């Protein structure tokens, strides 16, 4: 059984290595499983008065209802002093999709939710393309 498992690993490794050069330049659409993928989602959260909301958690949700986190809460970021948050990845794995549902949850307050559509563009100048959404703005409702 060990020889069979080792042989299967060798075949899988060879297939990944054969696919690698094309994978670096592939322009796949979200939902298509591909060995190389990149995404960037960045923005800011503001209070109802317009001040930056520092220290709040932004999470990617399964759908627009915001009742379940996406991928068991893997996509979670805390805003910095300017209210900024960022989700970024470049590496092996399937696409994370081009439609993201984001929520900011605060204990005892109403959630803020937004739907974001990512577009194909370079992650940074001279870099390969990925799914990107920059300048996302979330406004928190007033909280008693």
């Amino acid at each position: 059984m060990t020889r069979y498992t080792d042989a299967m690993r060798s075949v899988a490794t060879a297939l990944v290595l054969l696919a690698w050069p094309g994978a670096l330049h592939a322009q796949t659409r979200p939902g298509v499983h591909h060995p190389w993928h990149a995404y960037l989602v960045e923005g800011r959260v503001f209070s109802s008065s317009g001040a930056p909301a520092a220290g709040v958690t932004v999470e990617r949700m399964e759908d627009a209802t915001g009742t379940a986190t996406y991928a068991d809460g893997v996509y979670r970021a805390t805003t910095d002093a300017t209210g900024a948050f960022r989700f970024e990845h470049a590496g092996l794995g399937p696409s994370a999709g081009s439609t993201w549902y984001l929520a900011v949850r605060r204990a005892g307050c109403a959630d803020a939710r937004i739907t974001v559509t990512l577009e194909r563009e370079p992650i940074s100048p001279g870099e390969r393309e990925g799914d990107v959404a920059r300048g996302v703005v979330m406004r928190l409702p007033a909280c008693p």
Side-chain angles (χ1 to χ4, degrees), residues 16-121:
V16 168
L17 291 175
L18 286 173
W20 190 263
L24 291 174
H25 302 290
Q27 303 300 313
T28 59
R29 285 307 309 148
V32 175
H33 290 280
H34 200 273
W36 182 266
H37 184 72
Y39 63 82
L40 169 66
V41 177
E42 61 184 4
R44 293 182 69 194
V45 180
F46 296 95
S47 69
S48 59
S49 66
V56 296
T57 301
V58 179
E59 293 182 278
R60 183 175 181 194
M61 308 306 286
E62 280 286 337
D63 55 38
T65 65
T67 57
T69 60
Y70 185 87
D72 295 323
V74 171
Y75 297 88
R76 183 176 292 141
T78 302
T79 59
D80 66 13
T82 67
F85 67 91
R86 181 182 185 101
F87 298 97
E88 184 174 14
H89 173 78
L92 296 177
S95 168
S98 63
T99 302
W100 285 34
Y101 306 100
L102 299 178
V104 177
R105 297 179 177 202
R106 299 173 293 161
C109 300
D111 295 350
R113 295 189 183 116
I114 189 171
T115 301
V116 178
T117 302
L118 285 64
E119 301 291 335
R120 293 297 287 183
E121 60 183 67

Side-chain angles (χ1 to χ4, degrees), residues 4-18:
Y4 175 77
T5 304
D6 291 343
M8 292 305 293
R9 277 193 198 117
S10 296
V11 168
T13 301
L15 290 173
V16 168
L17 291 175
L18 286 173

